[in-house]
Amino acid sequence: MVTDIKTGIGKMENPMVPSHYRIILILSGFMLFDKDYIENSKFFIAGYYLLVKGRVQKRKYKEEEIEFKIKTINLLSSVKDELIKSVTLKIDPENIDNEMIKDLKTLVK
């Protein structure tokens, strides 16, 4: 879930010169720059639930460090139907009551 977003423009403060600026987005420790930020910024709205796919790899300029490289971002609501095939609940029979049944019916709809 997106909870907090901090954005800015880098050193030159001139978005017209791509080689001299960085648009930054910090998402739970992730920082996206330039093209990655532009392609994915539409997802960074507080309250959105996201499915973030990526891989762990060596950093481009510091190979002794690793980073998580985001490959795709989707709204969870748009992919949940294709990703979730079933849900299994394990409930102790003594915990089942009319209120729980009513709540489960509401959630399943």
Side-chain angles (χ1 to χ4, degrees):
M1 177 179 186
V2 178
T3 57
D4 186 35
I5 302 152
K6 296 176 183 168
T7 60
I9 296 178
K11 296 177 183 177
M12 300 302 288
E13 295 194 29
N14 185 353
M16 301 305 291
V17 185
S19 62
H20 296 300
Y21 81 97
R22 289 184 175 176
I23 300 173
I24 301 169
L25 175 110
I26 301 170
L27 171 70
S28 296
F30 295 108
M31 295 181 75
L32 299 179
F33 301 97
D34 303 325
K35 183 180 174 186
D36 290 334
Y37 174 85
I38 292 167
E39 289 175 359
N40 295 299
S41 62
K42 61 185 173 244
F43 295 110
F44 303 123
I45 297 173
Y48 275 14
Y49 288 92
L50 305 176
L51 174 64
V52 179
K53 293 182 180 181
R55 68 178 187 182
V56 176
Q57 63 186 29
K58 291 181 180 180
R59 292 190 68 164
K60 190 173 184 177
Y61 299 107
K62 295 182 180 181
E63 290 193 9
E64 66 277 2
E65 296 180 12
I66 58 171
E67 67 179 354
F68 179 78
K69 176 71 172 167
I70 296 173
K71 294 295 179 188
T72 61
I73 299 176
N74 292 295
L75 288 174
L76 192 56
S77 61
S78 67
V79 294
K80 69 179 180 182
D81 290 336
E82 69 184 59
L83 296 176
I84 301 171
K85 302 298 180 201
S86 66
V87 176
T88 303
L89 300 175
K90 292 184 179 183
I91 304 170
D92 291 328
E94 62 269 6
N95 293 333
I96 298 174
D97 59 13
N98 287 333
E99 185 177 345
M100 179 183 278
I101 292 169
K102 181 182 172 187
D103 290 343
L104 287 172
K105 283 181 179 179
T106 302
L107 291 171
V108 171
K109 289 182 181 181

